[in-house]
């Protein structure tokens, strides 16, 4: 158990003085902090100068006095570093920034600035041919960020070394300087203030996400990933995320509402239809991943053919959509199409699940993988040659007409509150409704007798049956529910993408909703959580969509990323409390802190003040 | 430990002629066992005697090759979850908790058969849902208090110390409101204090009106606890009766310690065995 030092506004440095751990760079504390502040200020100033002489490099970094493109990222990172560093001085009003670690956020954000700036300088000199293309502004920022990192590494370390581990080497000390203790308990705030903080948190999240989707060239996206990655870790180390999640755990419904309001706002931040389409596709992918999370995360059934259920839903919706190429000449209204798709998937799920769910573990995975492929091949063969003509074989069902709900044609742009909502924006909002339904279904089923029985089956099926749980029936229920949710998403997907073809529903492919990527989204994001698969799906969709230049190496990089993740964070990005405890031995840290202390423990808790 | 069996005792468990064969191996050979209400019955035998196999036959994990098992007069279906639903709960020899669920959740899972709220009720949060959840929680907390685990309700099961994991397994089994509790070596690996606490717990369970059938190796524990003891050797029940009678039975001693064989080449070894036998009986007597 880590020692929780109660952090109060002025004591950050005092706490650091008592830490026996030595920083990586031997510097007096005051000098180190001054150097960090000076360095990040220098990096910040540099962004207002020109970084290169020509606007051939995307983003136009030639303007003095007005940062653009990658300069903005450096600016934001440097400002963050500056704030964290100043907070370490114990300046009043900044203490709330660092309830957890004081100095590790500085190190992390300084590294982020160095990464972004360094990447930009590298990209400029590579694309334009040589270091000569760098204007002084780039050097100012670059040197500033380097100085900031050196200074930050001289700052005292936030928590003492493990007593048993002995004195680590330089690499160990570097890694240690990035760790931080957990923040103490926050002071009680009035609930309106807490809700405001949640809203602000989601607003910031939306802004970052929208910025990431709206990046227009891959250099900016790489810079965004570096800044966002380091910035996010820095904020986590500072303890802000812990504070926020404590608040969200307290106001769960408010949080859910805030998340959806933020998500609704997204299409209004995008004027480009292409980016809104990315948003809609992310939602489809994320919704299906969340459906898979019922099967994999809760019931523990490894399903490698899950994308077939999405396909069944999409094909069913396409057949009744009134497309001229559909072999059934009917045009169902949307609600009926949705029911058809969900029902078809449900039936398909039961039909596949009933025989296969008698298998356990690896065998189940292999058989579901087989059924997933069988679906695709069957759709290919129902072309009139190899079988009856139902699906037009590999041509699929094209020309699926746009939806019209209550006279609102989703295919046309609409003007909402003075902002144009494009076709993709419309579908995004429709899909969001389905995501909301799936989130609700997931949450409610997980927190019930059925959900507990699923987890029990996952943990130990023999013991679960000995406790009176009908294992087969409940596994089939999970399988069918998962299939049904995927079918829901499929009905929208068919309309968003205009056409359905068998090749969209492979086991592994380069375009995200396929079985391998779905499973990866669930595992990467965090099994058994709601936000995990959503975040995992967003990352897995966004990164390949934005970095077109590495399309050839996509699967290679994807595999490498998964391996690294399994090595360093096996519980996924968003850790279920259970998983967190399963993979990291934290002793008795699981003692829940939901029982409020009567005496309002010491804490910073100036947030929102 | 003698209990005056009231004239109103009813038969809770009636296993007759249970035989279990795995291929050519007969693990359990036509065993009859009756457990009456308010009784604690012990099942002992050397390792590999077929005790756990017999247990698995009772709880539906195995389908007995021959014979039938009846609970309160009705023949049990050979499905574990239906057996539990009928009213027989069990614990496992090697603890099988849901390690990554909390203590409370473990007990709530035990309530599964006694609650009905299905998926629709959970999704739509029908009126009965909240009430049923609340009732389950209250009942589970009562059981945790009964077993002395209430303070640890929100710990993960895997983080409990060994003795408490055993207790939790019992609490989880009790949550299914059984009429008969089967305990498979409940004191394995426990120290004397923990064993004594387990004894108290089992008496308390008996006093709640739940019959108990317990497999155990710890003879002292069995002798203190059980009204009746059955001895299983090589799949066959060789003797059944009150603890003192069973303990004195020569066949039981032979089964546990082996018999000295006459005229065998090693005379000294036979003498050694005899000495050991004598020693064990004297030790047993002063219990």
């Amino acid at each position: 158990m880590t020692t929780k030092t109660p952090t109060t506004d002025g004591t950050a440095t005092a706490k650091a003085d008592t830490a026996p751990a030595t920083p990586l760079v031997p510097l007096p504390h005051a000098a180190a902090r001054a150097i960090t502040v000076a360095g990040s200020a220098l990096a910040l100033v540099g962004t207002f100068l020109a970084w290169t002489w020509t606007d051939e490099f995307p983003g136009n970094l030639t303007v003095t006095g007005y940062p653009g493109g990658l300069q903005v990222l450096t600016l934001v990172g440097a400002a963050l570093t500056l704030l964290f560093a100043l907070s370490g001085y114990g300046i009043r009003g900044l203490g709330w920034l660092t309830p957890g670690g004081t100095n590790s956020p500085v190190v992390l954000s300084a590294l982020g600035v160095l990464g972004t700036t360094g990447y930009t300088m590298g990209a400029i000199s590579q694309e334009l041919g040589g270091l000569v293309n760098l204007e002084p502004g780039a050097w100012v920022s670059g040197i500033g960020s380097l100085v900031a990192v050196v200074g930050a590494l001289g700052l005292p370390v936030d928590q003492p070394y493990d007593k048993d581990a002995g004195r680590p080497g330089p690499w160990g000390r570097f890694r240690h300087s990035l760790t931080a203790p957990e923040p103490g308990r926050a002071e009680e705030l009035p609930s309106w203030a807490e809700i405001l903080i949640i809203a602000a948190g989601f607003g910031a999240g939306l802004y970052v996400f929208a910025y990431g989707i709206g990046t227009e060239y891959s250099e900016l996206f790489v810079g965004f990933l570096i800044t966002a990655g380091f910035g996010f870790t820095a904020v986590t180390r500072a303890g802000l995320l812990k504070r926020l999640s404590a608040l969200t755990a307290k106001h769960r419904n408010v949080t859910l509402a805030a998340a959806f309001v933020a998500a609704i706002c997204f299409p209004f931040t995008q004027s480009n239809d292409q980016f809104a389409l990315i948003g809609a596709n992310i939602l489809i992918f994320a919704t299906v991943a969340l459906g898979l999370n019922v099967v994999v995360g809760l019931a523990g059934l490894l399903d490698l053919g899950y994308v077939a259920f999405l396909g069944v839903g999409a094909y069913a919706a396409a057949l009744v959509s009134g497309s001229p190429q559909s072999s059934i000449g009917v045009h169902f209204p949307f609600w009926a199409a949705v029911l058809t798709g969900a029902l078809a998937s449900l039936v398909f799920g039961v039909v596949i699940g009933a025989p296969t769910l008698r298998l356990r573990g690896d065998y189940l995975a292999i058989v579901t993988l087989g059924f997933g492929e069988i679906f695709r091949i069957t759709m290919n063969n129902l072309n009139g040659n190899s079988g009856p003509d139902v699906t037009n074989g590999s041509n699929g069902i094209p020309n699926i007409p746009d939806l019209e709900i209550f006279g609102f044609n989703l295919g046309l742009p609409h003007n909402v509150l003075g902002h144009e909502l494009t076709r993709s924006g419309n579908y995004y909002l429709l899909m969001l409704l389905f995501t909301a339904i799936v989130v609700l279904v997931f949450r409610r089923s997980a927190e019930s007798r059925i959900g507990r029985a699923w987890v029990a089956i996952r943990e130990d099926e023999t013991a679960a049956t000995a406790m009176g749980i009908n294992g087969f029936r409940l596994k089939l229920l999970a399988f069918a529910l998962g299939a049904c949710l995927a079918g829901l998403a499929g009905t929208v997907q068919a309309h968003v993408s205009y056409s359905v073809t068998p090749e969209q529903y492979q086991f592994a492919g380069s375009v995200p909703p396929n079985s391998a990527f779905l499973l990866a989204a669930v595992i990467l994001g965090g099994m058994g959580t709601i936000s995990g698969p959503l975040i995992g799906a967003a990352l897995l969709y966004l990164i390949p969509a934005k970095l077109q230049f590495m399309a050839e190496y996509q699967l290679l990089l994807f595999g490498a990323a998964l391996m690294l993740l399994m090595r360093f964070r096996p519980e996924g990005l968003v850790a279920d409390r259970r998983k967190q405890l399963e993979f990291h031995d934290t002793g008795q840290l699981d003692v829940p802190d939901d029982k409020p202390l009567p005496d309002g423990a010491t804490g910073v808790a100036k947030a929102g003040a | 430990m003698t209990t005056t069996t009231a004239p109103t005792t009813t038969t809770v468990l009636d296993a007759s002629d249970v035989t279990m064969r795995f291929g050519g191996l007969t693990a359990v050979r036509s065993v009859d066992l009756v457990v009456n209400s308010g009784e604690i019955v012990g099942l002992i035998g050397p390792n590999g005697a077929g005790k756990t196999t017999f247990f698995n036959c009772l709880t539906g994990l195995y389908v007995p090759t021959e014979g039938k098992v009846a609970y309160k007069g009705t023949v049990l279906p050979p499905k574990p979850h239906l057996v539990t639903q009928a009213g027989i709960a069990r614990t496992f020899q090697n603890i099988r908790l849901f390690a990554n669920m909390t203590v409370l959740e473990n007990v709530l899972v035990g309530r599964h058969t006694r609650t009905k709220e299905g998926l629709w009720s959970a999704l739509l949060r029908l009126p009965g849902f909240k009430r049923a959840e609340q009732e389950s929680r209250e009942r589970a907390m009562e059981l945790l208090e009964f077993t002395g685990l209430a303070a640890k309700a929100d710990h993960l099961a895997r983080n409990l110390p060994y003795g408490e994991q055993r207790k939790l397994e019992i609490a989880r089994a009790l949550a299914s409101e059984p009429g008969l509790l089967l305990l498979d070596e409940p004191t394995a690996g426990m120290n004397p204090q923990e064993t004594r606490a387990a004894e108290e717990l089992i008496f308390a369970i008996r006093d709640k009106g739940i019959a108990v059938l317990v497999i155990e190796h710890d003879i002292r524990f069995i002798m203190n606890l059980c009204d009746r003891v059955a001895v299983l050797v090589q799949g066959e029940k060789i003797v059944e009766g009150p603890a003192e009678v069973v303990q004195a039975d020569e066949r039981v001693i032979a089964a546990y310690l082996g018999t000295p064989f006459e005229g065998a080449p090693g005379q000294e070894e036979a003498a050694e065995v005899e000495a050991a036998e004598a020693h064990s009986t004297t030790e047993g007597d002063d219990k």
Side-chain angles (χ1 to χ4, degrees):
Chain A
M1 185 164 180
T2 50
T3 44
K4 283 186 190 171
T5 319
T7 323
T8 41
D9 274 10
T11 57
T13 42
K15 173 186 73 178
D17 284 339
T18 59
T22 45
L24 197 63
V25 180
L27 275 174
H29 297 171
R33 197 172 295 282
I35 289 173
T36 316
V37 170
S40 42
L42 199 63
L44 196 141
V45 170
T47 59
F48 287 92
L49 304 172
W51 281 19
T52 183
W53 56 275
T54 166
D55 58 4
E56 270 176 45
F57 187 78
N60 193 4
L61 308 182
T62 60
V63 191
T64 297
Y66 190 82
L70 283 155
Q71 285 172 320
V72 177
L73 293 172
T74 300
L75 174 71
V76 170
L80 197 66
T81 317
L82 207 54
L83 279 178
F84 279 134
L86 288 176
S87 160
Y89 273 124
I91 292 174
R92 274 202 93 67
L94 285 179
W96 64 270
L97 269 172
T98 50
T102 316
N103 296 324
S104 52
V106 181
V107 181
L108 277 161
S109 49
L111 282 173
V113 178
L114 182 65
T116 315
T117 316
Y119 167 76
T120 313
M121 292 169 74
I124 291 174
S125 30
Q126 207 227 329
E127 279 174 40
L128 302 179
L131 287 172
V132 287
N133 296 297
L134 292 171
E135 291 282 318
W139 291 111
V140 170
S141 282
I143 291 166
S145 56
L146 192 64
V147 167
V149 169
V150 171
L153 287 175
L155 289 172
V157 181
D158 279 330
Q159 56 183 2
Y161 296 127
D162 241 346
K163 281 196 188 68
D164 324 319
R167 201 182 146 77
W171 174 243
R173 279 194 286 162
F174 172 68
R175 280 191 54 183
H176 188 82
S177 70
L178 303 182
T179 61
E182 297 284 323
R185 200 181 294 275
E187 220 169 80
E188 287 284 320
L189 288 174
S191 49
W192 61 265
E194 295 186 338
I195 290 166
L196 256 170
I197 295 168
I198 293 174
F202 276 99
L206 169 71
Y207 185 80
V208 172
F209 183 68
Y211 185 88
I213 288 193
T215 50
E216 288 178 355
Y217 43 98
S218 49
E219 287 87 353
L220 189 58
F221 185 71
V222 172
F224 166 76
L225 278 188
I226 297 173
T227 310
F230 278 101
F232 183 77
T233 322
V235 168
T236 313
R237 289 286 182 268
L240 291 177
L241 204 69
K242 201 86 184 171
R243 282 284 157 85
L244 188 65
S245 61
L247 289 184
T248 53
K250 201 165 147 195
H251 304 275
R252 293 188 53 192
N253 291 322
V254 175
T255 307
L256 223 58
F260 277 103
V261 169
I264 287 170
C265 291
F266 167 75
F268 297 102
T269 64
Q270 303 295 324
S271 47
N272 190 330
D273 188 49
Q274 186 201 340
F275 297 146
L277 181 63
I278 291 181
N281 280 328
I282 286 177
L283 271 190
I284 293 170
F285 185 24
T287 309
V288 186
L290 199 57
L292 180 62
N293 204 11
V294 173
V295 183
V296 176
L298 292 182
L301 308 167
L302 189 52
D303 185 351
L304 293 181
Y306 191 68
V307 82
F309 300 125
L310 178 72
V312 171
Y315 262 100
L319 284 173
V320 299
S321 67
S323 154
Q325 273 79 20
S326 159
S327 54
I328 311 172
V330 291
H331 188 174
F332 280 14
F334 180 60
W335 62 266
V338 167
L339 281 185
T340 315
L343 219 70
S345 281
L346 184 74
V347 170
F348 192 66
V350 172
V351 166
I352 287 184
T356 56
L357 286 174
R358 298 178 190 279
L359 301 169
R360 288 191 191 185
D362 305 354
Y363 302 100
L364 178 70
I366 293 165
V367 172
T368 50
L369 173 62
F371 270 108
E373 287 298 288
I374 287 171
F375 167 76
R376 184 173 62 83
I377 294 165
T378 310
M379 292 302 112
N380 247 326
N381 286 347
L382 293 178
N383 57 1
N385 266 334
S386 323
D389 188 9
V390 184
T391 62
N392 299 331
S394 56
N395 294 328
I397 303 172
N399 300 327
I400 298 171
D402 275 312
L403 288 171
E404 201 170 319
I405 303 172
F406 302 125
F408 184 90
N409 189 329
L410 271 78
L412 303 174
H414 291 270
N415 204 331
V416 180
L417 300 174
H419 194 284
E420 184 166 83
L421 203 54
T422 57
R423 173 184 186 271
S424 303
N426 294 330
Y427 278 111
Y428 173 90
L429 289 180
L430 178 69
M431 196 55 223
L432 191 62
L433 181 71
F434 283 86
T435 311
I437 293 171
V438 174
V439 166
L440 203 70
V441 166
F442 183 89
R443 197 178 125 185
R444 290 196 159 177
S445 60
E447 288 170 10
S448 71
R449 167 177 172 267
I450 303 293
R452 281 194 299 270
W454 283 335
V455 178
I457 289 172
R458 187 188 74 195
E459 291 286 316
D460 186 336
E461 195 171 340
T462 309
T465 48
M467 286 302 111
I469 292 168
N470 186 343
F472 176 71
R473 216 175 115 193
L474 274 155
K475 284 197 287 184
L476 191 59
L477 184 65
F479 210 70
L481 180 67
C484 181
L485 297 180
L488 277 183
T491 54
V492 181
Q493 194 213 21
H495 288 95
V496 172
S497 60
Y498 291 113
S499 65
V500 289
T501 57
E503 298 312 311
Q504 281 169 310
Y505 307 105
Q506 294 171 331
F507 169 68
S510 51
V511 189
N514 55 54
S515 294
F517 270 67
L518 283 169
L519 200 63
V522 171
I523 292 168
L524 182 102
M527 280 197 280
T529 61
I530 292 177
S531 49
L534 300 182
I535 291 172
L539 283 178
L540 279 184
Y541 193 91
L542 205 54
I543 292 174
K546 283 291 170 186
L547 301 179
Q548 301 285 1
F549 64 87
M550 49 171 242
E552 288 173 49
Y553 307 104
Q554 192 190 327
L555 284 175
L556 178 76
L557 292 172
F558 170 64
L562 269 188
M563 280 197 281
L564 287 176
L565 195 83
M566 287 301 110
R567 166 65 185 79
F568 293 107
R569 204 173 160 82
E571 71 273 27
L573 295 176
V574 180
D576 190 353
R577 192 169 64 93
R578 273 186 205 122
K579 282 278 175 324
Q580 176 88 49
L581 290 162
E582 191 177 336
F583 287 110
H584 299 282
D585 195 15
T586 45
Q588 288 295 319
L589 253 185
D590 66 313
V591 183
D593 49 11
D594 51 9
K595 289 168 195 115
L597 280 187
D599 55 356
T602 50
V604 192
K606 289 286 193 289
Chain B
M1 195 70 214
T2 47
T3 41
T4 48
T5 38
T8 52
T9 49
T10 50
T11 307
V12 178
L13 179 81
D14 184 5
S16 54
D17 200 26
V18 172
T19 300
M20 183 73 214
R21 288 197 199 91
F22 298 102
L25 176 82
T26 309
V28 177
R29 196 189 306 271
S30 53
V31 172
D32 300 308
L33 188 74
V34 172
V35 179
N36 296 314
S37 62
E39 250 189 335
I40 301 178
V41 177
L43 185 63
I44 61 171
N47 282 330
K51 303 182 298 288
T52 300
T53 309
F54 181 61
F55 249 42
N56 287 345
C57 289
L58 294 185
T59 53
L61 277 178
Y62 295 155
V63 183
T65 326
E66 282 163 36
K68 66 180 173 68
V69 182
Y71 174 78
K72 290 188 175 168
T74 47
V75 176
L76 287 173
K79 282 270 170 23
H81 65 270
L82 296 178
V83 170
T84 311
Q85 187 154 27
I88 300 182
R90 72 168 293 177
T91 66
F92 292 88
Q93 184 175 356
N94 42 348
I95 300 175
R96 301 189 83 151
L97 288 171
F98 307 121
N100 293 311
M101 297 176 91
T102 66
V103 168
L104 180 66
E105 282 172 325
N106 266 278
V107 182
L108 284 173
V109 170
R111 297 273 312 154
H112 191 85
T113 48
R114 300 294 169 242
T115 42
K116 286 195 178 52
E117 275 56 47
L119 188 62
W120 287 115
S121 168
L123 292 186
L124 305 174
R125 295 276 138 120
L126 296 177
F129 180 81
K130 266 216 168 118
R131 197 159 21 84
E133 279 285 288
Q134 191 56 35
E135 272 174 24
S136 282
R137 252 159 226 280
E138 277 165 18
R139 185 85 185 88
M141 283 312 291
E142 272 169 34
L143 281 171
L144 287 178
E145 240 142 69
F146 176 69
T147 47
L149 293 171
K152 298 202 167 177
D154 292 315
H155 284 241
L156 284 194
R158 70 206 312 258
N159 289 347
L160 290 186
Y162 185 80
E164 291 186 345
Q165 293 199 357
R166 286 266 175 217
K167 279 187 186 173
L168 176 56
E169 239 198 342
I170 293 175
R172 185 180 68 175
L174 287 176
S176 65
E177 296 172 13
L180 172 68
L181 182 63
L182 308 182
L183 302 173
D184 198 345
E185 297 198 19
T187 66
M190 282 187 173
N191 62 31
Q193 285 87 351
E194 285 173 326
T195 308
R196 208 159 306 131
E199 227 169 78
E200 295 301 315
L201 183 61
I202 294 170
F203 281 133
I205 291 168
R206 197 262 318 268
D207 293 344
K208 283 176 147 222
I210 299 168
V212 180
L213 175 61
V214 51
I215 290 182
E216 195 44 80
H217 272 305
D218 187 341
I219 298 291
R220 192 192 300 260
F221 176 76
I222 282 282
M223 295 305 154
N224 283 342
L225 194 70
C226 298
D227 304 316
R228 212 146 41 81
V229 178
V231 184
L232 217 57
V233 175
Q234 295 188 345
E236 281 178 286
K237 190 174 82 176
I238 55 168
V239 64
E240 185 185 338
E244 307 79 46
V245 177
V246 167
Q247 202 179 7
D249 193 289
E250 280 194 359
R251 286 168 298 174
V252 177
I253 296 164
Y256 268 91
L257 297 171
T259 42
F261 42 121
E262 304 292 325
Q267 285 291 344
E268 304 160 351
E269 276 137 306
E272 252 171 54
V273 171
E274 253 165 47
E277 197 179 324
H279 177 68
S280 103
T281 30
T282 48
E283 200 185 48
D285 283 343
D286 53 29
K287 251 180 246 172

